[in-house]
Amino acid sequence: MRSVVPDYLTDVLADVESDTSGEPAGYIPELAAADPERLAAVFATVDGTVHGAGDPDVAFTIQSISKPFVYAMALSDRGFDRVLAKVGVEPSEEAFNEISLENDTGRPRNPMINAGAITAHSLTGPENVTPVERVDRVVQGLSAFAGRQLTVDETVCASEMENAHRNLAIAYMLRSHGILTEDPRAVVDGYIRQCSVLVTTRDLAMMAATLANRGVNPPSDEQVVDGAVVRQVLSVMATCGMYDAAGDWATQVGIPAKSGVAGGLIGALPGQLGIATFSPRLDRHGNSVRGVSLFERFSADMGLHVMEVPPAARAVVRSNRVRGDGADAIRVLRLQGSLSEFLWCAGINRHGGGDGRALRRRSSDPRRPRVMRWRL
Ligand code: GLU
């Protein structure tokens, strides 16, 4: 039997489609020319199941969504102490391109704003790596998170480089504080190549699922980064991922997330799933308008807020019986307790396992056990 998730995603996309508020990013000419009507949503569970709706295979540039992944690479390549000495973990409450440096040390406040992301880029790869080798390390690292080879969009890259005055200003400030130790122009060039990596919504969901899965890419089973790095990255996404809208996001959606100015948005729910959306019109914070609405819906419909406390559970399986014989046999499980109802209905176990084919939806009375039927 088909999963109910694609139908759910299609319904939710239809609900947000009429919202044409916001504008595509204007400061990178190539992004301003993007088709603003594109819309996609993809769920990738930690067991490798992927469901998408809309335009999940349309490619766009990753932009700031690269930041948590490149921060993860810097932590892996240089170690926590060396990275934390140069990039903080405090929300800046300022716009993504603000020159937010600590007064005394000149350290960028966090790796999700441009100042911190440019620094994190400079800390990837081994010591003495060349700028070209570093870009290669970053593209290969992003590809490992996605589980397929990614490439750079040279047109978007050139378009952004021509208009990179602000990022260059940030990099020169970082150089003056000794946070960057090499040519600021070469570092910004590498950072912009990082932002210009082409991805689809499907790729982004898989990258988020790799974070949700303790750093293991679900389809390839490759350990891309270790669990301690993932914990650090998800923590920073939770507090700083949505720029100066991070507090609203934390209370209303409650999923560690990161947005990009091309219109992508990811969320990673530890132990459960990666979510990605794509819609190019942005709000005043630089976050996708329809993407934010989609995540608000997902969180509310499925109880995905990480702070949501499930009711205390007793034994989950109340009864487990087989009814009928042969091809008509059906297993009936009566389930109770702290189950994520929607995911169970979709045949997805909240803890990542399970390939159940639910034949009947949940009981509408929350005090009664859910009755799920699987074909044998
Ligand atoms: N390449 C963009 C910049 O540095 C990324 C910004 C974003 O996606 O928020 O300006």
Side-chain angles (χ1 to χ4, degrees), residues 31 56 62 100 106 166 170 200 232 272 277 295 301 348 360:
L31 293 188
I62 189 168
S100 299
R166 196 169 178 98
I170 292 171
T200 64
Q232 177 81 3
Q272 294 191 52
T277 61
F295 270 81
D301 289 352
I348 302 163
R360 209 170 104 180

Side-chain angles (χ1 to χ4, degrees), residues 11 14 35 56 68 124 176 229 235 260 274 294 340 348-349:
D11 285 354
D35 176 358
T124 55
S176 78
V229 167
S235 304
L294 287 168
S340 176
I348 302 163
N349 177 324

Side-chain angles (χ1 to χ4, degrees), residues 27-28 63-64 67 96 114 160 167 191 195 243 259-262:
Y27 73 102
I28 304 174
Q63 299 297 337
S64 278
K67 291 173 181 173
F96 70 95
N114 287 9
E160 182 166 359
N167 282 331
Y191 163 74
C195 290
Y243 304 128
S259 64
V261 289

Side-chain angles (χ1 to χ4, degrees), residues 2-10 43 51-53 342-343 345-348:
R2 285 180 64 233
S3 163
V4 298
V5 179
D7 293 344
Y8 167 76
L9 290 175
T10 303
F43 286 0
H51 294 294
F342 182 85
L343 295 181
C345 289
I348 302 163

Side-chain angles (χ1 to χ4, degrees), residues 271-336:
Q272 294 191 52
L273 77 161
I275 303 174
T277 61
F278 173 52
S279 172
R281 292 193 194 89
L282 309 180
D283 63 19
R284 68 189 169 84
H285 304 290
N287 299 324
S288 165
V289 174
R290 296 195 290 196
V292 170
S293 300
L294 287 168
F295 270 81
E296 285 172 352
R297 273 289 300 271
F298 299 151
S299 178
D301 289 352
M302 292 177 273
L304 299 182
H305 196 298
V306 287
M307 301 300 174
E308 199 149 304
V309 181
R314 288 175 292 161
V316 164
V317 179
R318 183 179 275 205
S319 70
N320 176 358
R321 290 200 195 93
V322 174
R323 297 246 171 90
D325 295 307
D328 293 331
I330 282 182
R331 181 175 298 279
V332 179
L333 294 178
R334 287 159 63 85
L335 307 174
Q336 63 186 9

